[in-house]
Amino acid sequence: GRLVQGLTKTRDNIVSGLDSIFSGFSKIDDDFYEELEEILIMGDLGVRATEEILDSLREKVKEQHIKEPAECKQLLIDSIKEQMQVEKAAYRFETEKSVVLVVGVNGVGKTTTIGKLAGKLTAEGKKVILAGADTFRAAAGEQLKEWANRGGVQMVGGTEGADPGSVVFDAIAAAKARSADVLLVDTAGRLHNKKNLMNELGKINKILENEYPDAFRETLVVLDATTGQNALAQAREFSEVTNITGIVLTKMDGTAKGGIAVAIQSELSVPVKYIGVGETIDDLEKFDSDAFVEALFS
Ligand code: GDP
């Protein structure tokens, strides 16, 4: 349904190439693997993941004495699924008292994602509070405020230049006072100053540990799928500064670079929990990597 529709461009990007080699090659030789490698890399699966997928495919072909290129298709799909295997995505913050820290660089769709999450949780009857701890940009707080107003959700902080730690501190107090179910925290994502970013997120985590110890903690990194390999690089960098527990891949609608989900999930060993498939409040979907691989490659 919607997943396949959203992935049309990514599918076109990958599947036509695959079909032509599965039917165009008469035997499984080095040229075949080379062409396959090129298609996967062009499909944004990433160099590392592609190599591991092909190693696994070669092994399967050998073990099962496969001779026909066409018979490789299912084996390739299996290898990609295996490559993406991580601990099954858990959504504890949807059912328990939680804090969700959201990190990501400007423009990736962080504010929109927080708005979507707030809308979804509110619709499920949860009491949500937003914390605008991305105080570096004035616009960030204002934008978040708009989403908060739209969803009738309370928001704390977000004034430009305020200390992010004190915003979180105040937000925790508000969450306690109102018995909130989920506190969604928008944080700054200035990767060009990694030391500062690490300190800032470290401070926020410390405050959460001390002031809100009984809340389950989730850290989601938001990445823009349309940036392909750049999104992978950002994922690596964020994983160096903080403990990421889930990935949100935005703008999966209309991009040809959706294959980046394979690279990111397998390299970080962290599940992609949601994908963004549009700009409105309902355009956030849970991600299932097996269904994704089936939709893309079969
Ligand atoms: P932020 O700077 O990371 O907070 O980014 P914003 O939330 O302001 O989003 C940047 C732009 O991307 C906006 O125009 C959003 O409407 C758009 N956007 C966010 N998520 C998606 C998505 O899943 N699909 C599409 N097509 N656009 C999105």
Side-chain angles (χ1 to χ4, degrees), residues 103-116 134 137 139-140 143-144 147 186 222-224 226 248-255 275-280 283-284:
V103 302
V105 306
N106 292 344
V108 294
K110 186 163 54 107
T111 314
T112 306
T113 298
I114 293 171
K116 289 172 179 175
D134 181 356
R137 288 185 304 156
Q143 248 183 309
L144 194 63
W147 278 100
D186 184 19
V222 182
L223 303 164
D224 178 345
T226 65
V248 181
L249 263 184
T250 63
K251 310 184 197 178
M252 286 290 270
D253 50 307
T255 181
I275 54 172
V277 293
E279 298 185 273
T280 70
D283 294 326
L284 188 73

Side-chain angles (χ1 to χ4, degrees), residues 175-225:
K176 283 179 181 169
R178 291 182 177 73
S179 309
D181 298 297
V182 185
L183 174 58
L184 286 174
V185 184
D186 184 19
T187 68
R190 282 164 292 139
L191 269 180
H192 56 269
N193 195 335
K194 262 161 79 177
K195 188 138 188 64
N196 274 1
L197 181 61
M198 195 189 293
N199 288 340
E200 194 172 306
L201 294 172
K203 232 188 264 177
I204 290 173
N205 274 311
K206 194 98 214 145
I207 293 168
L208 290 169
E209 256 162 50
N210 292 335
E211 306 297 326
Y212 210 35
D214 55 338
F216 172 73
R217 213 168 335 138
E218 175 94 31
T219 302
L220 299 176
V221 62
V222 182
L223 303 164
D224 178 345

Side-chain angles (χ1 to χ4, degrees), residues 46 71 83 102 104 129 132 141 164-165 171 177 203 227 252 281 290 294:
E71 288 176 79
Q83 179 66 23
V102 186
I129 293 189
K203 232 188 264 177
T227 65
M252 286 290 270
I281 197 153
D290 283 352
E294 289 289 346

